[in-house]
mmCIF file of all heavy atoms in Angstrom:
data_model
loop_
_atom_site.group_PDB
_atom_site.id
_atom_site.type_symbol
_atom_site.label_atom_id
_atom_site.label_comp_id
_atom_site.label_asym_id
_atom_site.label_seq_id
_atom_site.Cartn_x
_atom_site.Cartn_y
_atom_site.Cartn_z
ATOM 1 N N MET A 1 79.226 -12.602 199.196
ATOM 2 C CA MET A 1 78.320 -11.570 199.640
ATOM 3 C C MET A 1 77.227 -11.411 198.585
ATOM 4 O O MET A 1 77.512 -11.269 197.404
ATOM 5 C CB MET A 1 79.093 -10.276 199.823
ATOM 6 C CG MET A 1 78.303 -9.205 200.458
ATOM 7 S SD MET A 1 79.421 -7.989 201.140
ATOM 8 C CE MET A 1 78.771 -6.534 200.459
ATOM 9 N N ASN A 2 76.008 -11.428 199.025
ATOM 10 C CA ASN A 2 74.877 -11.370 198.118
ATOM 11 C C ASN A 2 74.151 -10.033 198.285
ATOM 12 O O ASN A 2 73.500 -9.788 199.294
ATOM 13 C CB ASN A 2 73.925 -12.536 198.409
ATOM 14 C CG ASN A 2 72.841 -12.666 197.385
ATOM 15 O OD1 ASN A 2 72.903 -12.049 196.336
ATOM 16 N ND2 ASN A 2 71.852 -13.466 197.693
ATOM 17 N N ILE A 3 74.277 -9.173 197.277
ATOM 18 C CA ILE A 3 73.607 -7.873 197.295
ATOM 19 C C ILE A 3 72.467 -7.930 196.292
ATOM 20 O O ILE A 3 72.676 -8.271 195.126
ATOM 21 C CB ILE A 3 74.585 -6.744 196.938
ATOM 22 C CG1 ILE A 3 75.703 -6.674 197.969
ATOM 23 C CG2 ILE A 3 73.849 -5.417 196.859
ATOM 24 C CD1 ILE A 3 76.776 -5.666 197.633
ATOM 25 N N LYS A 4 71.279 -7.619 196.735
ATOM 26 C CA LYS A 4 70.115 -7.656 195.841
ATOM 27 C C LYS A 4 70.208 -6.540 194.808
ATOM 28 O O LYS A 4 70.693 -5.446 195.096
ATOM 29 C CB LYS A 4 68.831 -7.487 196.645
ATOM 30 C CG LYS A 4 68.471 -8.694 197.453
ATOM 31 C CD LYS A 4 67.069 -8.541 197.969
ATOM 32 C CE LYS A 4 66.481 -9.904 198.112
ATOM 33 N NZ LYS A 4 65.051 -9.898 198.145
ATOM 34 N N GLU A 5 69.703 -6.852 193.609
ATOM 35 C CA GLU A 5 69.668 -5.843 192.556
ATOM 36 C C GLU A 5 68.764 -4.703 192.979
ATOM 37 O O GLU A 5 67.680 -4.921 193.504
ATOM 38 C CB GLU A 5 69.145 -6.454 191.261
ATOM 39 C CG GLU A 5 70.181 -7.185 190.475
ATOM 40 C CD GLU A 5 69.708 -7.515 189.080
ATOM 41 O OE1 GLU A 5 69.359 -6.582 188.334
ATOM 42 O OE2 GLU A 5 69.687 -8.703 188.780
ATOM 43 N N GLY A 6 69.210 -3.504 192.751
ATOM 44 C CA GLY A 6 68.438 -2.325 193.103
ATOM 45 C C GLY A 6 68.856 -1.698 194.416
ATOM 46 O O GLY A 6 68.516 -0.551 194.679
ATOM 47 N N SER A 7 69.607 -2.427 195.236
ATOM 48 C CA SER A 7 70.021 -1.888 196.530
ATOM 49 C C SER A 7 71.042 -0.767 196.372
ATOM 50 O O SER A 7 70.954 0.258 197.063
ATOM 51 C CB SER A 7 70.624 -2.988 197.398
ATOM 52 O OG SER A 7 69.679 -3.982 197.652
ATOM 53 N N ILE A 8 71.996 -0.958 195.465
ATOM 54 C CA ILE A 8 73.047 0.047 195.291
ATOM 55 C C ILE A 8 72.485 1.343 194.705
ATOM 56 O O ILE A 8 72.771 2.425 195.239
ATOM 57 C CB ILE A 8 74.204 -0.526 194.458
ATOM 58 C CG1 ILE A 8 74.892 -1.634 195.264
ATOM 59 C CG2 ILE A 8 75.199 0.562 194.079
ATOM 60 C CD1 ILE A 8 75.944 -2.392 194.514
ATOM 61 N N PRO A 9 71.683 1.298 193.630
ATOM 62 C CA PRO A 9 71.123 2.566 193.131
ATOM 63 C C PRO A 9 70.218 3.260 194.151
ATOM 64 O O PRO A 9 70.195 4.491 194.225
ATOM 65 C CB PRO A 9 70.319 2.164 191.893
ATOM 66 C CG PRO A 9 70.838 0.852 191.483
ATOM 67 C CD PRO A 9 71.348 0.198 192.725
ATOM 68 N N THR A 10 69.492 2.485 194.943
ATOM 69 C CA THR A 10 68.620 3.081 195.952
ATOM 70 C C THR A 10 69.442 3.774 197.035
ATOM 71 O O THR A 10 69.127 4.902 197.435
ATOM 72 C CB THR A 10 67.704 2.009 196.570
ATOM 73 O OG1 THR A 10 66.983 1.361 195.522
ATOM 74 C CG2 THR A 10 66.731 2.620 197.549
ATOM 75 N N ALA A 11 70.502 3.128 197.496
ATOM 76 C CA ALA A 11 71.371 3.732 198.510
ATOM 77 C C ALA A 11 72.083 4.960 197.943
ATOM 78 O O ALA A 11 72.187 5.998 198.619
ATOM 79 C CB ALA A 11 72.379 2.709 199.009
ATOM 80 N N LEU A 12 72.553 4.862 196.713
ATOM 81 C CA LEU A 12 73.204 5.998 196.067
ATOM 82 C C LEU A 12 72.226 7.159 195.926
ATOM 83 O O LEU A 12 72.585 8.317 196.174
ATOM 84 C CB LEU A 12 73.736 5.590 194.700
ATOM 85 C CG LEU A 12 74.375 6.687 193.862
ATOM 86 C CD1 LEU A 12 75.662 7.159 194.515
ATOM 87 C CD2 LEU A 12 74.635 6.196 192.461
ATOM 88 N N GLY A 13 70.994 6.858 195.558
ATOM 89 C CA GLY A 13 69.982 7.898 195.438
ATOM 90 C C GLY A 13 69.695 8.591 196.757
ATOM 91 O O GLY A 13 69.491 9.801 196.801
ATOM 92 N N ALA A 14 69.706 7.823 197.840
ATOM 93 C CA ALA A 14 69.483 8.425 199.161
ATOM 94 C C ALA A 14 70.622 9.377 199.525
ATOM 95 O O ALA A 14 70.382 10.476 200.051
ATOM 96 C CB ALA A 14 69.349 7.331 200.212
ATOM 97 N N VAL A 15 71.842 8.980 199.217
ATOM 98 C CA VAL A 15 73.000 9.838 199.509
ATOM 99 C C VAL A 15 72.960 11.102 198.661
ATOM 100 O O VAL A 15 73.183 12.214 199.169
ATOM 101 C CB VAL A 15 74.316 9.054 199.281
ATOM 102 C CG1 VAL A 15 75.520 9.965 199.350
ATOM 103 C CG2 VAL A 15 74.449 7.928 200.282
ATOM 104 N N VAL A 16 72.666 10.966 197.370
ATOM 105 C CA VAL A 16 72.626 12.122 196.469
ATOM 106 C C VAL A 16 71.482 13.058 196.845
ATOM 107 O O VAL A 16 71.653 14.281 196.842
ATOM 108 C CB VAL A 16 72.511 11.650 195.002
ATOM 109 C CG1 VAL A 16 72.254 12.817 194.067
ATOM 110 C CG2 VAL A 16 73.767 10.906 194.588
ATOM 111 N N THR A 17 70.333 12.503 197.205
ATOM 112 C CA THR A 17 69.204 13.340 197.622
ATOM 113 C C THR A 17 69.547 14.130 198.876
ATOM 114 O O THR A 17 69.273 15.329 198.963
ATOM 115 C CB THR A 17 67.954 12.469 197.873
ATOM 116 O OG1 THR A 17 67.650 11.762 196.678
ATOM 117 C CG2 THR A 17 66.774 13.312 198.276
ATOM 118 N N THR A 18 70.168 13.462 199.827
ATOM 119 C CA THR A 18 70.575 14.148 201.056
ATOM 120 C C THR A 18 71.583 15.247 200.767
ATOM 121 O O THR A 18 71.477 16.359 201.307
ATOM 122 C CB THR A 18 71.166 13.134 202.060
ATOM 123 O OG1 THR A 18 70.191 12.117 202.306
ATOM 124 C CG2 THR A 18 71.536 13.805 203.354
ATOM 125 N N ALA A 19 72.546 14.960 199.904
ATOM 126 C CA ALA A 19 73.540 15.978 199.546
ATOM 127 C C ALA A 19 72.882 17.172 198.865
ATOM 128 O O ALA A 19 73.249 18.326 199.125
ATOM 129 C CB ALA A 19 74.600 15.364 198.636
ATOM 130 N N GLY A 20 71.914 16.911 198.006
ATOM 131 C CA GLY A 20 71.203 18.005 197.345
ATOM 132 C C GLY A 20 70.404 18.849 198.317
ATOM 133 O O GLY A 20 70.375 20.076 198.205
ATOM 134 N N LEU A 21 69.775 18.196 199.289
ATOM 135 C CA LEU A 21 69.003 18.954 200.281
ATOM 136 C C LEU A 21 69.908 19.784 201.180
ATOM 137 O O LEU A 21 69.555 20.904 201.555
ATOM 138 C CB LEU A 21 68.152 17.989 201.114
ATOM 139 C CG LEU A 21 66.981 17.343 200.378
ATOM 140 C CD1 LEU A 21 66.325 16.285 201.253
ATOM 141 C CD2 LEU A 21 65.972 18.390 199.947
ATOM 142 N N ILE A 22 71.067 19.255 201.506
ATOM 143 C CA ILE A 22 72.011 20.010 202.334
ATOM 144 C C ILE A 22 72.581 21.200 201.566
ATOM 145 O O ILE A 22 72.786 22.275 202.123
ATOM 146 C CB ILE A 22 73.136 19.075 202.842
ATOM 147 C CG1 ILE A 22 72.561 18.095 203.851
ATOM 148 C CG2 ILE A 22 74.289 19.868 203.441
ATOM 149 C CD1 ILE A 22 73.517 16.996 204.264
ATOM 150 N N SER A 23 72.838 21.014 200.270
ATOM 151 C CA SER A 23 73.484 22.070 199.479
ATOM 152 C C SER A 23 72.524 23.173 199.039
ATOM 153 O O SER A 23 72.959 24.131 198.403
ATOM 154 C CB SER A 23 74.158 21.456 198.252
ATOM 155 O OG SER A 23 73.197 20.981 197.346
ATOM 156 N N ARG A 24 71.255 23.061 199.363
ATOM 157 C CA ARG A 24 70.291 24.098 198.959
ATOM 158 C C ARG A 24 70.677 25.466 199.492
ATOM 159 O O ARG A 24 70.406 26.479 198.857
ATOM 160 C CB ARG A 24 68.888 23.763 199.455
ATOM 161 C CG ARG A 24 68.181 22.721 198.663
ATOM 162 C CD ARG A 24 66.773 22.542 199.146
ATOM 163 N NE ARG A 24 66.798 22.230 200.573
ATOM 164 C CZ ARG A 24 65.804 22.453 201.404
ATOM 165 N NH1 ARG A 24 64.698 22.967 200.982
ATOM 166 N NH2 ARG A 24 65.912 22.125 202.674
ATOM 167 N N GLN A 25 71.297 25.524 200.647
ATOM 168 C CA GLN A 25 71.602 26.802 201.264
ATOM 169 C C GLN A 25 72.882 27.424 200.715
ATOM 170 O O GLN A 25 73.057 28.630 200.769
ATOM 171 C CB GLN A 25 71.716 26.628 202.770
ATOM 172 C CG GLN A 25 70.420 26.140 203.377
ATOM 173 C CD GLN A 25 70.607 25.535 204.752
ATOM 174 O OE1 GLN A 25 71.717 25.456 205.243
ATOM 175 N NE2 GLN A 25 69.527 25.084 205.353
ATOM 176 N N LYS A 26 73.790 26.588 200.171
ATOM 177 C CA LYS A 26 75.081 27.097 199.736
ATOM 178 C C LYS A 26 75.187 27.243 198.223
ATOM 179 O O LYS A 26 75.889 28.116 197.742
ATOM 180 C CB LYS A 26 76.188 26.167 200.227
ATOM 181 C CG LYS A 26 76.273 26.106 201.728
ATOM 182 C CD LYS A 26 77.332 25.135 202.175
ATOM 183 C CE LYS A 26 77.319 25.031 203.696
ATOM 184 N NZ LYS A 26 78.214 24.015 204.183
ATOM 185 N N ALA A 27 74.532 26.393 197.477
ATOM 186 C CA ALA A 27 74.641 26.409 196.017
ATOM 187 C C ALA A 27 73.425 27.102 195.403
ATOM 188 O O ALA A 27 72.503 27.512 196.111
ATOM 189 C CB ALA A 27 74.746 24.973 195.503
ATOM 190 N N LYS A 28 73.451 27.213 194.082
ATOM 191 C CA LYS A 28 72.272 27.748 193.387
ATOM 192 C C LYS A 28 71.090 26.836 193.654
ATOM 193 O O LYS A 28 71.216 25.619 193.645
ATOM 194 C CB LYS A 28 72.529 27.786 191.886
ATOM 195 C CG LYS A 28 73.413 28.883 191.428
ATOM 196 C CD LYS A 28 73.465 28.852 189.910
ATOM 197 C CE LYS A 28 74.117 30.082 189.358
ATOM 198 N NZ LYS A 28 74.115 30.055 187.895
ATOM 199 N N LYS A 29 69.937 27.430 193.854
ATOM 200 C CA LYS A 29 68.747 26.636 194.175
ATOM 201 C C LYS A 29 68.375 25.686 193.043
ATOM 202 O O LYS A 29 68.015 24.542 193.286
ATOM 203 C CB LYS A 29 67.582 27.559 194.494
ATOM 204 C CG LYS A 29 67.811 28.389 195.730
ATOM 205 C CD LYS A 29 66.699 28.209 196.691
ATOM 206 C CE LYS A 29 66.942 29.146 197.845
ATOM 207 N NZ LYS A 29 66.966 28.483 199.090
ATOM 208 N N SER A 30 68.478 26.134 191.797
ATOM 209 C CA SER A 30 68.092 25.263 190.684
ATOM 210 C C SER A 30 69.041 24.072 190.562
ATOM 211 O O SER A 30 68.601 22.954 190.268
ATOM 212 C CB SER A 30 68.060 26.047 189.370
ATOM 213 O OG SER A 30 69.329 26.592 189.076
ATOM 214 N N LEU A 31 70.315 24.280 190.803
ATOM 215 C CA LEU A 31 71.275 23.180 190.763
ATOM 216 C C LEU A 31 71.025 22.203 191.906
ATOM 217 O O LEU A 31 71.033 20.980 191.707
ATOM 218 C CB LEU A 31 72.707 23.712 190.837
ATOM 219 C CG LEU A 31 73.814 22.664 190.861
ATOM 220 C CD1 LEU A 31 73.819 21.874 189.567
ATOM 221 C CD2 LEU A 31 75.150 23.313 191.102
ATOM 222 N N ALA A 32 70.759 22.721 193.082
ATOM 223 C CA ALA A 32 70.505 21.858 194.238
ATOM 224 C C ALA A 32 69.245 21.024 194.024
ATOM 225 O O ALA A 32 69.235 19.821 194.313
ATOM 226 C CB ALA A 32 70.367 22.706 195.505
ATOM 227 N N TRP A 33 68.196 21.635 193.497
ATOM 228 C CA TRP A 33 66.967 20.873 193.240
ATOM 229 C C TRP A 33 67.162 19.863 192.111
ATOM 230 O O TRP A 33 66.538 18.809 192.105
ATOM 231 C CB TRP A 33 65.796 21.801 192.950
ATOM 232 C CG TRP A 33 65.271 22.436 194.194
ATOM 233 C CD1 TRP A 33 65.304 23.761 194.508
ATOM 234 C CD2 TRP A 33 64.663 21.780 195.310
ATOM 235 N NE1 TRP A 33 64.749 23.961 195.744
ATOM 236 C CE2 TRP A 33 64.349 22.762 196.266
ATOM 237 C CE3 TRP A 33 64.361 20.457 195.601
ATOM 238 C CZ2 TRP A 33 63.737 22.464 197.482
ATOM 239 C CZ3 TRP A 33 63.755 20.159 196.820
ATOM 240 C CH2 TRP A 33 63.454 21.157 197.739
ATOM 241 N N GLY A 34 68.045 20.166 191.167
ATOM 242 C CA GLY A 34 68.378 19.198 190.127
ATOM 243 C C GLY A 34 69.060 17.973 190.703
ATOM 244 O O GLY A 34 68.775 16.833 190.308
ATOM 245 N N VAL A 35 69.964 18.194 191.657
ATOM 246 C CA VAL A 35 70.643 17.083 192.333
ATOM 247 C C VAL A 35 69.633 16.268 193.134
ATOM 248 O O VAL A 35 69.680 15.030 193.134
ATOM 249 C CB VAL A 35 71.787 17.614 193.232
ATOM 250 C CG1 VAL A 35 72.368 16.520 194.097
ATOM 251 C CG2 VAL A 35 72.875 18.243 192.380
ATOM 252 N N VAL A 36 68.716 16.932 193.799
ATOM 253 C CA VAL A 36 67.672 16.231 194.556
ATOM 254 C C VAL A 36 66.821 15.378 193.613
ATOM 255 O O VAL A 36 66.529 14.210 193.901
ATOM 256 C CB VAL A 36 66.784 17.226 195.340
ATOM 257 C CG1 VAL A 36 65.558 16.535 195.920
ATOM 258 C CG2 VAL A 36 67.583 17.897 196.442
ATOM 259 N N GLY A 37 66.437 15.934 192.478
ATOM 260 C CA GLY A 37 65.647 15.184 191.507
ATOM 261 C C GLY A 37 66.402 13.984 190.961
ATOM 262 O O GLY A 37 65.831 12.900 190.782
ATOM 263 N N PHE A 38 67.683 14.156 190.711
ATOM 264 C CA PHE A 38 68.517 13.056 190.230
ATOM 265 C C PHE A 38 68.577 11.942 191.275
ATOM 266 O O PHE A 38 68.462 10.756 190.949
ATOM 267 C CB PHE A 38 69.920 13.598 189.932
ATOM 268 C CG PHE A 38 70.827 12.630 189.249
ATOM 269 C CD1 PHE A 38 70.635 12.294 187.932
ATOM 270 C CD2 PHE A 38 71.895 12.079 189.934
ATOM 271 C CE1 PHE A 38 71.482 11.409 187.292
ATOM 272 C CE2 PHE A 38 72.749 11.198 189.313
ATOM 273 C CZ PHE A 38 72.549 10.856 187.983
#
């Protein structure tokens, strides 16, 4: 299986960004925006 370099961090970033955007309503806003930035 051939996975291009950069694909895994990009996919991980998409998942983390989505999780941060979803958690904006339940968690502290500054923490949620920190997760989105990460």
